Amino acid sequence: MTKNSSNIMALAPNTSNKRETVCIFGTGDFGRALGHKMIQAGYPVVFGSRSTQISSLIPKDAEVLSHAEAAQKAAIIIIAIQREHYNFLTPLAEILQGKVLVDVSNNLKINQYPESNAEYLAQLVPGAKVVKAFNTVSAWALQSGTLDASRQVFVCGDDMKAKQMVMDIVRALGLTPLDQGSLLAAQEIENYPLQLFPMWKFPVLLSLGLVAFFFFYCLIRDVIYPYVYENKDFSFFIAISIPNRICPILALTLLALVYLPGVLAAIIQLYRGTKYRRFPDWLDKWMLCRKQLGLVALAFASLHVLYTLVIPIRSFVRWRISSHIVSQALNNKTEPLDNTNAWLSDSYLALGILGFFLFVLLGITSLPSVSNNVNWREFRFVQSKLGYLTLILCTAHTLVYGGKWFLSPSAYRWCLPSAYMLSLIVPCIVLVVKFVLVFPCLDKPLTRIRQGWERKPQYSK
Ligand code: NAP
């Protein structure tokens, strides 16, 4: 390796390709971590601090000066200080004239202040060029070599040249700058690190609600009813039988809920005769979290598979099989093989296996690393065509499982049908409506509407 190689340059700030000095206000956790990273990348760093005493925590190649002295040494000043303390910058306004001020601050709450911290900084120091950056990177990530999740740095600012200078620094640190436009974007960038899985809220809350509902439903039907009418204690069903009933119900219902907004959107577009009108807000939000709904459904399907695998080793199941064999032996009578039952049980299992296989395939193709490698048509083919095939297979799996008991009075306890019957409601609605929508008399106008055709001009009188 030659002496001019980039690796050596990164560690040796005093080479011929010397970088411009960067000033950092604040010697706290973030200021120090950023300073350390910048020195590694070859930037001379000068800290502006209330105390000029060098502490052992401060990177050893950095200088520590007063705010005013440090500001004079650099064109770019990173303000690694909480917004509440920005007032100290007002007396420095003259020195900061024309400098690039980088606002890295975050807040404790979403939309905590009427304006973003970066806009507030621009108001305090009107002569400076404020750029928002680095707030989505943590001090810990900078120190520990940056993780993939924190490699992206959102940058925004009104001055193009200032923004470019900051983006160059971001790149030099081995991070990826993402230009978000003017300083108006700062509020959104500041809210970003405060969001907690925003797309997962609805799917998770809905799943929790459905789990609670179906748990009590199964408890009433499968534990309380036999106890009241037959004096049988099936309370142990709570451990495996009831969860193994809830998981497939949730998997099927949530999978159907992934496709329901699509058919609702189609009906709305057909009714309106145009695609140029916004869907209701709730439908928009529902469509945005379809991937998360599908992944939660896949998690329940996987749990169902695991619960099913342990069925043969359950004590209750082994007891039932052995007592059946003993009763046949005592009666000296062997039951002949029921061919219909054998067919039904094998078909039910085959449909379940195929449905789960496609379910997993859908999950894999939704991963960014896979979906980024297929084109839009391929992605749509997998998510729409294979998705509907999965829904058909899983619905058929449930229908074959219990179809023969639909009309049997014993399937209704306290007038409540078996829980799996409820799980068929949404999937059957989705599949029937989708089936109707593929008829040419509806599919053709829908395709034309989606290509931009309008049944009647929206703005005519
Ligand atoms: P910190 O450890 O509390 O450091 C803040 C620094 O601000 C202090 O060390 C102090 O530096 C300076 N300061 C405190 N009171 C001051 C005052 N009244 N006047 C002037 N300066 C004052 O906080 P931090 O974690 O480094 O965070 C600094 C900024 O970076 C915050 O806006 C935060 O939102 C942002 N940020 C932090 C992280 C992170 O992971 N920590 C990530 C992204 C963004 P001196 O003693 O040298 O004056």
Side-chain angles (χ1 to χ4, degrees):
M1 202 190 280
T2 65
K3 228 184 168 186
N4 286 340
S5 83
S6 57
N7 278 355
I8 288 178
M9 272 182 41
L11 295 169
N14 293 328
T15 55
S16 53
N17 275 344
K18 199 176 165 218
R19 298 194 194 268
E20 270 198 48
T21 302
V22 175
C23 170
I24 300 175
F25 277 4
T27 56
D29 292 338
F30 194 73
R32 289 197 313 272
L34 197 58
H36 181 72
K37 193 87 185 154
M38 284 188 170
I39 289 170
Q40 279 188 338
Y43 288 94
V45 171
V46 52
F47 282 100
S49 173
R50 291 167 301 169
S51 153
T52 51
Q53 270 186 338
I54 297 273
S55 111
S56 60
L57 292 172
I58 292 173
K60 72 172 170 22
D61 292 319
E63 260 186 289
V64 185
L65 303 172
S66 70
H67 292 121
E69 285 170 325
Q72 276 160 348
K73 291 210 165 192
I76 297 184
I77 301 163
I78 293 166
I79 316 290
I81 292 169
Q82 276 89 359
R83 169 190 169 129
E84 298 80 67
H85 308 309
Y86 280 4
N87 283 340
F88 84 96
L89 292 166
T90 318
L92 300 173
E94 210 173 301
I95 301 170
L96 299 177
Q97 187 78 21
K99 305 260 181 193
V100 177
L101 298 190
V102 185
D103 183 292
V104 302
S105 64
N106 281 319
N107 293 320
L108 296 176
K109 280 190 271 172
I110 288 184
N111 295 332
Q112 190 173 347
Y113 299 101
E115 75 291 274
S116 67
N117 299 348
E119 286 166 310
Y120 173 64
L121 180 61
Q123 285 164 20
L124 278 180
V125 195
K129 299 162 193 165
V130 174
V131 175
K132 180 89 205 174
F134 290 114
N135 68 308
T136 51
V137 187
S138 73
W140 179 82
L142 283 172
Q143 268 165 349
S144 60
T146 67
L147 300 165
D148 270 353
S150 54
R151 207 173 277 278
Q152 293 183 338
V153 175
F154 298 116
V155 183
C156 75
D158 293 337
D159 187 295
M160 277 308 288
K161 211 171 150 211
K163 199 159 61 173
Q164 206 51 54
M165 285 163 81
V166 176
M167 297 216 289
D168 287 344
I169 296 181
V170 173
R171 269 185 223 103
L173 300 189
L175 302 167
T176 313
L178 292 177
D179 189 346
Q180 300 294 295
S182 76
L183 217 54
L184 287 175
Q187 189 123 33
E188 208 175 306
I189 297 178
E190 283 166 17
N191 285 339
Y192 181 79
L194 297 171
Q195 288 174 348
L196 186 68
F197 304 117
M199 291 298 157
W200 287 90
K201 213 180 265 172
F202 171 64
V204 169
L205 289 179
L206 179 71
S207 313
L208 289 178
L210 287 174
V211 165
F213 170 76
F214 280 110
F215 176 78
F216 287 112
Y217 192 90
C218 295
L219 195 71
I220 292 169
R221 268 189 48 93
D222 303 334
V223 178
I224 299 177
Y225 182 91
Y227 186 76
V228 171
Y229 281 98
E230 297 155 22
N231 204 19
K232 285 184 180 160
D233 179 7
F234 286 143
S235 54
F236 62 90
F237 275 8
I238 289 173
I240 289 186
S241 299
I242 292 183
N244 198 24
R245 216 155 278 180
I246 295 173
C247 288
I249 291 171
L250 267 269
L252 186 57
T253 308
L254 294 177
L255 181 65
L257 289 177
V258 172
Y259 293 96
L260 185 57
V263 295
L264 289 179
I267 293 170
I268 291 175
Q269 286 179 332
L270 274 172
Y271 174 74
R272 290 175 172 170
T274 178
K275 70 166 186 176
Y276 296 113
R277 270 173 68 192
R278 277 188 63 114
F279 290 127
D281 254 12
W282 56 267
L283 188 56
D284 262 343
K285 284 186 188 146
W286 188 353
M287 296 229 241
L288 284 175
C289 63
R290 281 181 293 179
K291 173 178 162 180
Q292 287 74 9
L293 271 173
L295 289 174
V296 177
L298 176 58
F300 279 110
S302 310
L303 273 177
H304 173 47
V305 170
L306 291 179
Y307 275 121
T308 307
L309 287 177
V310 301
I311 287 178
I313 57 168
R314 287 181 68 198
S315 138
F316 171 64
V317 174
R318 281 186 290 144
W319 168 81
R320 225 170 45 177
I321 294 171
S322 55
S323 51
H324 183 63
I325 294 168
V326 170
S327 91
Q328 284 192 50
L330 287 175
N331 294 331
N332 200 14
K333 190 177 153 206
T334 317
E335 276 177 21
L337 173 70
D338 183 339
N339 231 289
T340 317
N341 258 350
W343 257 109
L344 280 175
S345 117
D346 279 8
S347 316
Y348 150 72
L349 290 173
L351 288 165
I353 292 167
L354 288 174
F356 183 66
F357 172 76
L358 290 185
F359 219 141
V360 173
L361 207 67
L362 285 178
I364 292 172
T365 47
S366 75
L367 296 173
S369 52
V370 179
S371 57
N372 290 345
N373 281 311
V374 292
N375 66 30
W376 175 236
R377 198 162 171 215
E378 290 162 343
F379 183 75
R380 258 186 65 91
F381 173 79
V382 175
Q383 293 300 326
S384 174
K385 302 281 185 303
L386 286 190
Y388 270 108
L389 186 57
T390 312
L391 188 60
I392 290 170
L393 287 171
C394 294
T395 309
H397 168 70
T398 316
L399 275 169
V400 175
Y401 165 75
K404 61 181 178 182
W405 292 315
F406 271 16
L407 298 175
S408 155
S410 65
Y412 297 82
R413 295 174 174 177
W414 280 326
C415 297
L416 301 174
S418 276
Y420 74 86
M421 290 189 198
L422 301 186
S423 76
L424 286 166
I425 297 173
V426 189
C428 287
I429 291 174
V430 173
L431 290 175
V432 169
V433 178
K434 182 69 187 173
F435 179 71
V436 173
L437 286 172
V438 294
F439 277 92
C441 59
L442 293 174
D443 186 50
K444 274 191 186 153
L446 186 62
T447 310
R448 288 178 66 199
I449 287 169
R450 287 181 173 168
Q451 284 167 346
W453 175 82
E454 286 187 274
R455 194 170 50 224
K456 47 181 186 273
Q458 290 300 300
Y459 303 107
S460 67
K461 289 197 176 167

